[in-house]
C-alpha cells in the first residue's frame, strides 16, 4: 500500500476508514438540549475525546502506519510531539508490532512523558526549540532509518483525520454547517475533504484562538503565516499550518472565526457542566465561536468535531 | 393510577419504566479498557450523569408525579432538597404542567437555587436545620394542599430509580455483580429490586464513604443508624436510610464496602481522566470500592450505576 503523494480522493478516504476501523472507536455523537437552547441551533458533537488515546490523532497515526511498506515498518517510525500525536503514534505502532521513537522537549510535563512511554514508545528528549528538535529527529533517522510521521502535513495523516467527519456525516443527516478548530490543519483539512465528498452542501467553518490566529491571517493573506506568541490555553492549536493542509483549507473553508481566551474558557465550562464530558480546551474553540456569533448559526443543524479530552486536571481553574 | 403502598413487584417496575420512558434518557453504558486493565475486571458504567437534570433522580421524580391523581396534580407537589432531587421534581412537574415548590436551606449555593428556579419551581427557603425544614414544608402543605414527594423513602420513587438498573441489565448480559452507592437508599433499593427480578443470579454490593457509613452500621446492627458528622465530598450520600429503603437493602444487599475520602478522590480523578466524563463524587464511590478490594472483583463482569454529574467545578481540587 503506497503512501499518498497527492490530496486523498473520495475512494482513498473510504479505504483509509476501512483500514483503520479495527483500531479506532467509532465515537458517539452527543447532543445537549441546554446548549441547543442557549445557542438557538441544533448542535451535534462528534466525541473524539472518547477516541483511543483520548484524541482524533489516533485515526491519522494509524492510517499512516498501516500505509507503510514492510521494509519501512521493519525500521520503525519516528515523530516529534509532546502531546496527542506522539501518544497516537506510540499506540498505533505498538498495535502493529513496530518500533516508535517520539522526540519530546526536555521540559515536557512528566505526565505526557509517562503516557507516551506507557504506550511503548522510546522517548528521546531534545531542547525546547525547533532546531534541537529537527536535529534530534535527523539523528535518529540517520541511525535507524525510521520513517518520519509528520503530525499533520502528510496526506495519509489527513486521510485518517478525515474519517472523523465522515462518521459524523454518516450518523447525522442534513448538516448545514460543520465546524472544527484549526491548529496545524490536519483535522480541518481532513474535515474539508470528507464534507466536500460526503456532504457537499454543508458549509465548512474553522475556529481558532485569537492568540494564535495564524490560520485566520493566512486565510486573508493567501500565504502561511506564523505566530509570534502562543499564549492560549488551547495547546493543541499553537502550530502553524503546513503547505498541504493550507491548500485544502484555503479551497474549502468558508470562514474562520477567532475567539479570545475567556470565550474559550466559558465554552469549556459550558461543555463540562452541561454535557458532562471532559474535553480539552482546543475542543471548546468551535463552541466558543458559535456562542460568539450566535446570529449566524441560529436555527442551523451544525456538526462539531471535539478533538479530544486530554487535559491535566490540575491545570484547569474555573474560578 | 394509585401510588404504591408496598414494595414494587416486577410488573410495577416494568410499568414504571413504560410510564417514565418518554420523559427520561435511556442513558448509555460506557466501558474503559484502561480501567478494566487497572482493576482486572470488566466494568460497565451506567451513565446517569447523562440523564436529564444530570442525575438518576429524574427517574423517580417523574414516576412519583405521573402516579398522582388529577386532584393531587391540581394542588401541585412539594419537596425539600438543595440538590438533584429538587431539580428533578422541578423539571418533572414542569413537564406535566403542574406546580412544584422546593424547600431549600437559605445557605444553599446560588447555583443550585438558580438551577431549581430555572426548571420552573418555586423555591422557599428555610433555615439550615431539620426542624425549620419540616416546619416550612408543613406550612406550604397546609396552605396549598401540595403533595409531598420524599427524596427516597417512597415506593413510587424507588420504582422509578429501579429503572436505571433495569436498563443496565437489559443492555449488558450476564452481570455477576451490580454496584451502587448508598445515601438515603432510593437508588440502592431500586437497584436491589431490579436485580432481584431481572438478573437474580447477580450479587448486589453497596458502597459508602467511611465518613457517612450509616448504611454499613445499619446493616450490622439491624436498625437504622445516623451520622454524627458528614464530612464527605460525596454530598449525595450524607442522608441516612429510611425504613422502606432499609428493608429492601437489608434483604438483598450482600455486602457494603466503605471507602475513605482520598480513595473517593482517586476514583473520581481516574474516571474523569480515563473515561473523559464528568461524574459527581457520589458516583465515584463504587469505583473506589472496586479499586480498594480488587481481589474480590477480579475477572468479574460488574455493572456500576453512576449517579450523576452535577458538581460545582470550582469545588474540585485534584492537586
Amino acid at each position: 500500500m503506497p503512501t499518498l503523494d497527492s490530496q486523498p480522493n473520495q475512494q482513498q478516504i473510504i479505504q483509509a476508514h476501512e483500514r483503520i476501523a479495527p483500531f479506532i472507536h467509532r465515537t458517539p455523537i452527543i447532543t445537549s438540549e441546554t446548549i441547543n437552547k442557549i445557542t438557538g441551533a441544533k448542535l451535534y458533537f462528534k466525541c473524539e475525546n472518547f477516541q483511543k488515546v483520548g484524541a482524533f490523532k489516533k485515526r491519522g497515526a494509524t492510517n499512516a502506519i498501516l500505509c507503510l511498506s514492510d521494509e519501512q515498518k521493519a525500521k520503525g517510525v519516528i515523530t516529534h510531539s509532546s502531546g496527542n500525536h506522539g501518544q497516537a503514534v506510540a499506540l498505533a505502532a505498538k498495535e502493529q508490532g513496530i518500533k516508535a521513537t517520539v522526540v519530546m522537549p526536555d521540559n515536557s510535563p512528566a505526565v505526557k512523558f509517562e503516557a507516551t512511554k506507557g504506550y511503548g514508545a522510546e522517548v528521546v528528549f531534545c531542547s525546547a526549540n525547533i532546531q534541537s528538535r529537527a536535529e534530534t529527529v535527523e539523528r535518529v533517522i540517520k541511525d535507524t532509518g525510521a520513517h518520519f510521521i509528520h503530525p499533520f502535513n502528510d496526506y495519509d495523516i489527513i486521510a485518517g483525520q478525515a474519517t472523523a467527519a465522515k462518521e459524523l456525516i454518516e450518523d447525522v443527516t442534513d448538516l448545514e454547517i460543520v465546524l472544527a478548530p484549526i491548529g496545524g490543519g490536519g483535522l480541518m483539512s481532513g474535515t474539508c475533504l470528507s464534507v466536500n465528498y460526503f456532504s457537499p452542501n454543508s458549509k465548512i467553518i474553522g475556529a481558532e484562538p485569537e492568540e494564535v490566529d495564524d490560520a485566520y491571517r493566512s486565510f486573508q493573506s493567501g500565504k502561511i503565516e506564523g505566530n509570534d506568541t502562543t499564549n492560549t490555553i488551547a495547546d493543541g492549536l499553537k502550530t502553524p499550518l503546513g503547505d498541504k493542509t493550507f491548500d485544502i483549507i484555503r479551497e474549502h473553508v468558508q470562514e474562520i472565526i477567532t475567539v479570545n481566551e475567556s470565550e474559550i474558557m466559558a465554552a469549556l465550562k459550558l461543555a463540562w457542566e452541561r454535557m458532562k464530558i471532559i474535553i480539552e480546551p482546543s475542543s471548546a474553540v468551535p463552541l466558543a465561536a458559535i456562542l460568539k456569533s450566535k446570529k449566524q448559526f441560529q436555527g442551523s443543524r451544525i456538526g462539531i468535531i471535539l478533538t479530544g479530552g486530554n487535559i491535566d486536571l490540575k491545570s484547569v481553574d474555573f474560578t
Side-chain angles (χ1 to χ4, degrees), chain A:
Chain A
M1 243 166 253
T3 54
L4 297 175
D5 55 10
S6 61
Q7 290 185 14
N9 62 31
Q10 182 167 3
Q11 194 52 35
Q12 286 162 337
I13 289 175
I14 293 170
Q15 284 164 353
H17 202 193
E18 288 169 356
R19 191 180 295 133
I20 69 175
F23 306 104
I24 59 166
H25 292 310
R26 190 175 179 109
T27 53
I29 314 285
I30 284 188
T31 61
S32 161
E33 285 174 38
T34 307
I35 296 180
N36 285 348
K37 205 184 283 176
I38 292 170
T39 57
K42 292 204 166 165
L43 307 187
Y44 298 87
F45 295 92
K46 173 69 172 168
C47 289
E48 287 297 289
N49 56 324
F50 296 139
Q51 188 52 265
K52 291 190 180 194
V53 313
F56 74 90
K57 296 275 187 181
K58 181 64 168 58
R59 297 174 182 270
T62 303
N63 190 49
I65 283 175
L66 288 173
C67 287
L68 297 177
S69 67
D70 287 347
E71 201 183 342
Q72 287 173 314
K73 283 180 186 166
K75 292 178 179 165
V77 293
I78 178 168
T79 194
H80 54 71
S81 162
S82 60
N84 294 339
H85 175 67
Q87 294 177 39
V89 167
L91 179 58
K94 186 185 174 191
E95 287 171 344
Q96 304 307 323
I98 74 176
K99 192 182 167 187
T101 306
V102 178
V103 174
M104 200 177 267
D106 53 16
N107 62 354
S108 301
V111 59
K112 301 210 166 181
F113 168 71
E114 287 294 334
T116 310
K117 287 278 286 183
Y119 289 120
E122 181 177 348
V123 173
V124 175
F125 288 111
C126 63
S127 302
N129 62 68
I130 289 176
Q131 198 192 341
S132 167
R133 188 179 78 181
E135 284 168 6
T136 310
V137 169
E138 276 312 309
R139 181 166 48 75
V140 175
I141 291 176
K142 206 174 148 196
D143 292 351
T144 62
H147 180 83
F148 179 67
I149 299 184
H150 194 280
F152 52 86
N153 203 42
D154 173 313
Y155 291 125
D156 294 305
I157 291 286
I158 293 168
Q161 319 306 28
T163 61
K166 178 171 178 282
E167 291 177 6
L168 170 65
I169 291 162
E170 287 167 357
D171 289 352
V172 187
T173 56
D174 299 325
L175 288 173
E176 291 156 272
I177 304 169
V178 176
L179 270 97
I182 308 182
L187 179 68
M188 186 80 254
S189 58
T191 301
C192 284
L193 295 178
S194 278
V195 172
N196 182 46
Y197 297 140
F198 305 111
S199 183
N201 293 325
S202 309
K203 265 192 212 173
I204 304 167
I205 296 180
E208 209 178 21
E210 281 177 10
E211 292 288 337
V212 289
D213 64 345
D214 57 287
Y216 177 82
R217 286 180 286 106
S218 305
F219 204 63
Q220 309 296 328
S221 72
K223 60 182 176 49
I224 296 175
E225 307 283 350
N227 297 302
D228 291 335
T229 57
T230 58
N231 299 320
T232 178
I233 189 179
D235 54 358
L237 307 180
K238 292 179 176 180
T239 321
L241 296 166
D243 60 336
K244 296 181 173 70
T245 56
F246 180 48
D247 279 352
I248 297 171
I249 288 170
R250 193 154 52 148
E251 186 179 344
H252 297 287
V253 169
Q254 299 189 334
E255 184 186 358
I256 296 175
I257 298 173
T258 61
V259 289
N260 67 31
E261 294 299 296
S262 68
E263 288 162 343
I264 297 170
M265 278 305 286
L268 188 71
K269 187 159 181 267
L270 188 67
W272 286 34
E273 280 185 347
R274 293 306 184 140
M275 298 173 68
K276 311 296 181 192
I277 57 174
I278 301 271
I279 60 172
E280 58 200 21
S282 303
S283 292
V285 172
L287 177 58
I290 292 172
L291 291 165
K292 180 185 183 176
S293 311
K294 265 187 204 171
K295 260 208 176 139
Q296 91 180 75
F297 293 102
Q298 218 140 43
S300 297
R301 289 168 66 80
I302 304 171
I304 296 172
I305 304 192
L306 298 177
T307 55
N310 291 332
I311 183 168
D312 180 0
L313 293 173
K314 292 196 287 291
S315 72
V316 189
D317 181 4
F318 285 121
T319 50

